[in-house]
Amino acid sequence: MEREQRHKVIMRTVDRPGITRIDALTELTGVSAVTIRRDLAELEQAGFLVRTHGGARRVMKRGTPQPFAVRRAEDRAAKQALAVAAAELVADDESVIIDNGTTCQAVAARLAGRPITAMCLSLHSAMELGGRAGATVLIPGGPVETDTLALTGSGVVSALRDIAVDAVILGSCSISLTHGLATTTWEDAENKRAAITAATRRILVATPRKLNHVSTFRFADIGDLHQLVTTSDAPREILTAVRDMGVQVITVPAPAGKG
């Protein structure tokens, strides 16, 4: 089966709910598992699917948030590695805003016990930091979003406009060279814009699956960042383009076992 035909078969099969296994794709296409893994890598880079351990799944539709528990389970080892690197960018006695999301929660866990002042935009991160002595933990006023425990509403933006911090640890649902940084809800984008304005240094922590994707609500340009922390298996050409925008790219070794 030719490459283009295989890709059509793979995309059509993966578009069904759940995870499509590599062995099922080898049976459908008649090629080796090595070839299927290469196809999946190409299709993931193009944004058509997401590789998982031993298979692939479809990409969520633009603007559709995934459940927090699902996102927290994805790329768990990579997020832990990224959290270590991101936490090292925050010095003792600095002030920091910690965005909502599972990767930022992992960073908060690494910062726990450190003498910092942190405004957390989700209760998940606040609990990580507040569970150990050391950090001064602040949360803005406002409703708490179900599932993500993110703080929402005009009170969050107001609180962010009234502070100035050394750094912000940001998450993003998507990072596109043409569309910038974006998220899946208007409220989240508003919070991120205010957090960026309040911070001297802007640090985005993201797994490679967020690169080369587009979400609905744009909140910044890539060039607004100072540092991007990701893993070494991120597409090289995208990282080169990000560096050309003046952003320092910090990569950590990619955990083994993907695909």
Side-chain angles (χ1 to χ4, degrees):
M1 186 179 292
E2 296 295 325
R3 174 177 173 274
E4 291 78 10
Q5 186 179 0
R6 286 201 315 273
H7 283 193
K8 289 180 181 179
V9 170
I10 291 170
M11 286 187 292
R12 185 166 57 247
T13 305
V14 170
D15 195 50
R16 302 165 186 166
I19 294 174
T20 302
R21 309 299 299 177
I22 287 175
D23 54 2
L25 294 173
T26 61
E27 291 181 7
L28 282 172
T29 59
V31 299
S32 68
V34 172
T35 299
I36 291 296
R37 288 190 177 93
R38 184 169 61 246
D39 289 339
L40 294 179
E42 293 174 0
L43 291 169
E44 183 183 55
Q45 185 171 336
F48 292 117
L49 54 80
V50 175
R51 285 184 294 164
T52 63
H53 183 67
R57 62 169 176 77
R58 65 183 178 182
V59 174
M60 297 293 290
K61 294 181 179 179
R62 182 186 296 188
T64 305
Q66 291 180 287
F68 191 85
V70 172
R71 290 188 285 125
R72 184 166 52 194
E74 288 179 337
D75 301 321
R76 188 182 298 272
K79 290 174 183 177
Q80 294 302 317
L82 294 174
V84 172
E88 291 177 352
L89 300 177
V90 178
D92 286 352
D93 301 316
E94 283 196 318
S95 55
V96 60
I97 297 168
I98 301 180
D99 198 3
N100 68 73
T102 60
T103 305
C104 290
Q105 180 188 2
V107 178
R110 293 297 305 185
L111 289 170
R114 296 267 304 278
I116 61 171
T117 298
M119 175 171 280
C120 298
L121 303 189
S122 83
L123 296 185
H124 284 298
S125 292
M127 289 187 292
E128 294 284 2
L129 281 166
R132 293 176 58 186
T136 299
V137 183
L138 309 172
I139 57 172
V144 177
E145 189 177 74
T146 303
D147 188 41
T148 67
L149 300 188
L151 282 303
T152 63
S154 60
V156 178
V157 174
S158 178
L160 291 170
R161 287 174 177 166
D162 288 339
I163 65 171
V165 299
D166 296 298
V168 58
I169 303 294
L170 285 165
S172 182
C173 294
S174 63
I175 304 156
S176 167
L177 296 177
T178 55
H179 293 85
L181 313 178
T183 185
T184 58
T185 69
W186 171 262
E187 293 81 3
D188 190 34
E190 283 285 276
N191 291 351
K192 293 178 192 297
R193 291 189 195 103
I196 285 172
T197 301
T200 301
R201 302 194 314 277
R202 297 137 185 187
I203 304 164
L204 179 67
V205 188
T207 58
R209 73 170 68 245
K210 303 294 182 67
L211 301 177
N212 207 31
H213 288 271
V214 177
S215 297
T216 305
F217 299 99
R218 181 180 171 280
F219 63 87
D221 292 324
I222 293 175
D224 293 327
L225 300 173
H226 294 94
Q227 293 162 315
L228 168 65
V229 184
T230 189
T231 53
S232 57
D233 56 339
R236 186 174 302 175
E237 64 276 12
I238 294 179
L239 298 187
T240 298
V242 172
R243 289 188 180 99
D244 289 343
M245 296 178 190
V247 180
Q248 180 188 12
V249 176
I250 300 169
T251 58
V252 299
K258 183 176 180 180

